[in-house]
Amino acid sequence: RWAHGQVNPFGMTIDHRGDIFTADCHTKPITMLLRGGQYPMFGKPHDGLGFAPGIMEHGHESTGIAGVAFYDADMFPAAYRHNLFIGNPVTGRINRDTLEHHGSSPRAIAQPDFLTCDDPWFRPVDIRLGPDGALYVADFYNRIIGHYEVPLTHPQRDRERGRIWRIRYVGEGEAKPTPAPDLAKADVDGLIAALAHPNIVVRNLATHELAHRIGADAVEPLRTLVVGDVKSKEATDAPANQKVHGLWVLHRLGALSQDARLKLLFDPSPLVQLHAVKAIADQSEVPQLQLALLWSKLKDADPFVRRAIADALTVHV
């Protein structure tokens, strides 16, 4: 169990830092779930410590929220990247929020509706970022949507039709999105290169291919890329995203040594440090030296690293 509460969470997305966001019907459109956090649920009391903090006060004019996507790709213009897109099947809209961070605490700032539709049957119930950089929308396409409106056997409930929309950017002045390689056919080198792709979906899929299809043959080239010489303080010059996904492949294959974990804790990139902390927390047991270093980094300059360390210590101390 990761967290407690909420009413009807229809949709989840995970950002490049590993933060989990849900779209919840009947509480707030977006919630960031902290490990062990208690969240409101139809008046149910909290555990005595209080509810975990929310990230928004507005409700996008609806209690029926479904589907959420975090945009981390290079098709849409920069203003739309690292935004959250939320399906609103009651109002027939797709809402958009930017994330404004205060320390490591995000605030969701409502933006003008991303999409409106004059078809009253438009019901966006899920949204996904595709490997091509487009957003894909599952449209329930139904006159009746709520289970409470009419009996479930009502003849006007359409049980056969639905639509899938692909939303892409066609404006001028923007670079074309980076093509996604055929990961099913890619070799070790091709998959490792894909770990640096600007689209998080491609990076995640390449991560899974390396962990599941390639396996042990990926260990040595990934160690060289992510860690380099563990006896040297010099970090490798690989891009941060590539190192992040590479370290998770090594972790999943049981090939991330203690020395490698300790070195990555002091990588020049805070993003790499953050995921190194998360990988330490994901162990069944954490060696004392790693715990001692986590304690020493609780005053780290980066707030996201500090929050990750606090979370890790709640699991292992």
Side-chain angles (χ1 to χ4, degrees), residues 118-230:
D118 57 7
D119 184 343
W121 287 24
F122 176 59
R123 312 287 192 183
V125 293
D126 202 5
I127 305 174
R128 286 287 181 267
L129 170 61
D132 57 352
L135 286 179
Y136 289 79
V137 181
D139 178 5
F140 189 55
Y141 193 58
N142 212 308
R143 177 180 181 181
I144 301 166
I145 189 169
H147 58 81
Y148 46 80
E149 293 179 76
V150 295
L152 296 178
T153 56
H154 195 284
Q156 289 187 337
R157 289 187 181 275
D158 189 336
R159 302 179 185 277
E160 298 178 1
R161 298 167 184 83
R163 303 188 291 195
I164 297 175
W165 299 96
R166 177 177 181 260
I167 303 174
R168 63 191 180 97
Y169 180 72
V170 295
E172 297 179 356
E174 291 290 322
K176 293 182 179 180
T178 305
D182 186 344
L183 299 176
K185 297 179 180 178
D187 59 10
V188 175
D189 292 338
L191 291 171
I192 290 176
L195 298 181
H197 197 279
N199 187 319
I200 193 172
V201 173
V202 176
R203 299 197 302 270
N204 285 338
L205 292 173
T207 300
H208 300 325
E209 286 285 305
L210 285 163
H212 293 299
R213 176 164 66 85
I214 304 299
D217 289 342
V219 169
E220 287 308 317
L222 280 174
R223 279 178 179 160
T224 301
L225 174 94
V226 175
V227 184
D229 183 357
V230 293

Side-chain angles (χ1 to χ4, degrees), residues 76 91 183:
F76 288 8
T91 64
L183 299 176

Side-chain angles (χ1 to χ4, degrees), residues 20-265:
I20 301 171
F21 297 89
T22 57
D24 187 28
C25 176
H26 286 301
T27 55
K28 293 296 181 185
I30 308 169
T31 303
M32 187 183 78
L33 297 183
L34 296 172
R35 189 200 303 262
Q38 292 274 343
Y39 295 91
M41 179 182 175
F42 279 149
K44 183 179 178 180
H46 54 68
D47 58 358
L49 295 176
F51 291 117
I55 69 169
M56 67 195 314
E57 299 301 329
H58 56 282
H60 285 307
E61 303 177 11
S62 172
T63 59
I65 299 295
V68 58
F70 177 78
Y71 193 88
D72 187 4
D74 62 348
M75 175 188 281
F76 288 8
Y80 292 86
R81 297 173 192 171
H82 290 189
N83 286 195
L84 291 167
F85 295 84
I86 307 105
N88 200 328
V90 174
T91 64
R93 304 173 185 173
I94 295 176
N95 306 126
R96 176 171 73 96
D97 287 81
T98 56
L99 291 174
E100 178 183 280
H101 284 91
H102 300 265
S104 70
S105 300
R107 297 297 298 171
I109 310 299
Q111 303 299 316
D113 290 330
F114 178 68
L115 185 150
T116 61
C117 184
D118 57 7
D119 184 343
W121 287 24
F122 176 59
R123 312 287 192 183
V125 293
D126 202 5
I127 305 174
R128 286 287 181 267
L129 170 61
D132 57 352
L135 286 179
Y136 289 79
V137 181
D139 178 5
F140 189 55
Y141 193 58
N142 212 308
R143 177 180 181 181
I144 301 166
I145 189 169
H147 58 81
Y148 46 80
E149 293 179 76
V150 295
L152 296 178
T153 56
H154 195 284
Q156 289 187 337
R157 289 187 181 275
D158 189 336
R159 302 179 185 277
E160 298 178 1
R161 298 167 184 83
R163 303 188 291 195
I164 297 175
W165 299 96
R166 177 177 181 260
I167 303 174
R168 63 191 180 97
Y169 180 72
V170 295
E172 297 179 356
E174 291 290 322
K176 293 182 179 180
T178 305
D182 186 344
L183 299 176
K185 297 179 180 178
D187 59 10
V188 175
D189 292 338
L191 291 171
I192 290 176
L195 298 181
H197 197 279
N199 187 319
I200 193 172
V201 173
V202 176
R203 299 197 302 270
N204 285 338
L205 292 173
T207 300
H208 300 325
E209 286 285 305
L210 285 163
H212 293 299
R213 176 164 66 85
I214 304 299
D217 289 342
V219 169
E220 287 308 317
L222 280 174
R223 279 178 179 160
T224 301
L225 174 94
V226 175
V227 184
D229 183 357
V230 293
K231 297 180 180 180
S232 170
K233 293 183 179 180
E234 294 295 322
T236 68
D237 58 0
N241 277 331
Q242 191 177 30
K243 291 170 78 168
V244 162
H245 287 268
L247 79 84
W248 279 110
V249 175
L250 292 171
H251 173 78
R252 288 164 63 174
L253 294 175
L256 197 60
S257 68
Q258 171 161 284
D259 288 342
R261 294 176 192 274
L262 298 181
K263 181 175 181 178
L264 293 172
L265 279 177

